[in-house]
Amino acid sequence: VIDVHVEGQQCYGRLLRDLSYHDAPRRRARFVRHVGDDTQDAVLCIDGNSRVVFVSDAVSRQLGYPREELLNFDIYDIYPETPRPCEIHWRRLAGIGSLTYATFGWRQDGTEFPVEVSVDYIEHNHEGYILVFPHTVMESEQAEREHRQLVNELRDGVFVIDSTGRFIMVNECVVQALGYPEHELLSMKVHDIDIHLSAEEIRELIRRNQRGETLLFETAHKTRDGSVLPVEIKSSTIFYRGEPATLAVARGLRERKQAEQDLRDEILRRRILINGSSDGIVVLDPQGRVREVNRQFAHMLGYSTEEVMGLRIWDWDVTYGKEELLTLLDALDDKGDRCKSLFRTKDGSTIEVE
């Protein structure tokens, strides 16, 4: 603030100076302490003005510039096709958290090279920053090969689907389960194999994923030979090769449904055997509650089966007390035991049982 006289009147003037450049070394020091100056990864960080505030040695080697010189650059000096304007790109990234896209970089010698850039929005000391992870095409292709190898080892089917419902990646499990060659699947859409969902229903599911929903539902896929494969699908949105896409993981339901049916068959078989027996049979849990009872046991006590289901063992066994009965139940093993006891019937009389 300065004191000046203008046309005989005393005035006060203010000189404003942009301190962002003067403050940059201090902000760089804070950020380096946060990220770590010894990172081996190719990473640089830009602030809200697109200025570089941190750069790793790997980026310096990649571009051929000294690190100190790169700290005077903005992101467009290095990767000129970074989305513009910066303010819109910044707000978009702050909303979704991360983004991947293909672009090119400029080396110090003037040559350009293709690069895949992954960017993440972070906050440090209440300030927003963008972390930039540049990978050369060779590095990206190697990473994709390694990722694809891992995905192919999964026992679940993995689909990556674009916004139109077309398959843009499938893993080996999908190829084996559906019987189509991979190149043929990549020319197909979801409705070509899904026998329950229409094309419009599939588009609506994709839209819901794009709104941030993770979905879990059952459907069925038609294989190349015409057989039907029931599946459970879990779907969500990811970024694949720089573009939003739907990741759908399919788990076969045939084995699970068969196991469920086997269990139902076993329960039915057991009930037939229990109800067909001339002996009274009651199934108890460790707390003495009735879990299953046949009609003969209920008839012995003068109750209906529904009434017995609401009883506990000490409601009819008069030989032992409650604690003794719980101890006997706890001591039982798969060999069983045999004993005699007195049971009290509904009308208050007792009967001797073994």
Side-chain angles (χ1 to χ4, degrees):
V1 179
I2 58 174
D3 184 5
V4 297
H5 287 79
V6 179
E7 296 180 354
Q9 294 184 345
Q10 187 179 23
C11 300
Y12 294 97
R14 291 187 176 184
L15 297 178
L16 305 179
R17 178 176 297 166
D18 184 357
L19 296 179
S20 61
Y21 292 104
H22 298 279
D23 191 47
R26 180 168 57 87
R27 288 185 286 117
R28 281 198 296 270
R30 288 201 309 266
F31 190 81
V32 166
R33 286 195 298 272
H34 177 66
V35 174
D37 200 24
D38 58 350
T39 177
Q40 300 300 308
D41 297 326
V43 57
L44 60 132
C45 177
I46 62 173
D47 63 15
N49 298 313
S50 303
R51 304 293 301 181
V52 176
V53 297
F54 172 82
V55 61
S56 69
D57 284 331
V59 173
S60 174
R61 292 192 298 270
Q62 188 183 87
L63 298 174
Y65 288 97
R67 289 179 63 182
E68 294 72 18
E69 188 172 351
L70 288 169
L71 292 174
N72 296 316
F73 286 12
D74 67 30
I75 190 65
Y76 300 106
D77 295 325
I78 304 171
Y79 306 112
E81 290 195 352
T82 298
R84 295 174 184 262
C86 180
E87 293 78 12
I88 294 177
H89 180 50
W90 189 276
R91 288 197 298 271
R92 180 189 180 198
L93 190 57
I96 62 177
S98 62
L99 184 66
T100 302
Y101 55 89
T103 183
F104 67 90
W106 284 108
R107 296 189 180 95
Q108 186 182 36
D109 62 10
T111 60
E112 66 177 55
F113 63 98
V115 64
E116 182 181 80
V117 175
S118 300
V119 291
D120 294 292
Y121 178 82
I122 66 168
E123 288 189 357
H124 176 59
N125 286 348
H126 308 292
E127 297 182 52
Y129 296 91
I130 293 180
L131 286 179
V132 180
F133 300 91
H135 305 285
T136 64
V137 171
M138 185 177 298
E139 292 171 335
S140 299
E141 289 177 348
Q142 175 65 22
E144 184 166 342
R145 283 194 297 270
E146 293 173 354
H147 180 262
R148 182 60 183 268
Q149 183 177 355
L150 291 173
V151 170
N152 278 334
E153 291 176 358
L154 294 175
R155 297 180 62 184
D156 295 331
V158 177
F159 303 84
V160 179
I161 305 162
D162 70 13
S163 59
T164 69
R166 183 177 65 86
F167 299 126
I168 54 179
M169 194 279 283
V170 295
N171 72 342
E172 186 63 26
C173 178
V174 171
V175 173
Q176 295 295 327
L178 298 181
Y180 291 95
E182 182 180 357
H183 73 272
E184 192 171 341
L185 281 166
L186 296 181
S187 67
M188 300 167 66
K189 293 189 174 184
V190 178
H191 68 258
D192 293 322
I193 66 167
D194 197 298
I195 65 172
H196 293 327
L197 299 173
S198 67
E200 179 53 39
E201 288 172 322
I202 292 166
R203 284 192 291 270
E204 176 57 27
L205 292 174
I206 292 173
R207 286 191 288 267
R208 290 175 62 186
N209 284 145
Q210 291 172 343
R211 292 195 293 266
E213 292 186 58
T214 297
L215 305 176
L216 183 67
F217 56 93
E218 293 185 9
T219 186
H221 290 164
K222 181 175 63 178
T223 66
R224 193 178 195 188
D225 64 11
S227 58
V228 174
L229 180 66
V231 292
E232 179 184 73
I233 301 290
K234 184 175 184 179
S235 65
S236 58
T237 291
I238 61 168
F239 279 88
Y240 182 75
R241 294 179 177 173
E243 298 293 332
T246 292
L247 172 68
V249 179
R251 176 162 296 176
L253 294 178
R254 181 170 291 161
E255 295 81 3
R256 194 185 83 183
K257 288 186 177 296
Q258 183 61 49
E260 291 173 351
Q261 184 59 50
D262 291 344
L263 179 60
R264 287 193 293 268
D265 292 344
E266 175 59 25
I267 291 173
L268 178 60
R269 185 185 68 84
R270 190 177 67 182
R271 284 180 177 168
I272 291 173
L273 290 174
I274 289 175
N275 286 325
S277 174
S278 60
D279 295 323
I281 298 176
V282 61
V283 179
L284 304 170
D285 67 14
Q287 288 73 45
R289 290 186 293 254
V290 178
R291 291 308 183 191
E292 198 163 351
V293 62
N294 70 349
R295 287 188 294 268
Q296 182 62 21
F297 184 87
H299 178 71
M300 288 168 53
L301 297 183
Y303 292 99
S304 68
T305 54
E306 291 76 13
E307 289 175 318
V308 177
M309 290 297 296
L311 300 178
R312 297 205 183 197
I313 185 173
W314 49 84
D315 293 322
W316 66 78
D317 195 305
V318 297
T319 304
Y320 304 97
K322 175 181 175 181
E323 296 304 322
E324 291 177 291
L325 290 167
L326 289 175
T327 301
L328 288 170
L329 290 174
D330 186 59
L332 284 175
D333 56 25
D334 57 2
K335 296 179 181 179
D337 199 1
R338 180 186 295 267
C339 63
K340 292 184 178 181
S341 186
L342 287 177
F343 283 5
R344 181 172 49 240
T345 65
K346 185 177 182 181
D347 63 11
S349 62
T350 57
I351 58 174
E352 186 176 358
V353 298
E354 183 182 62

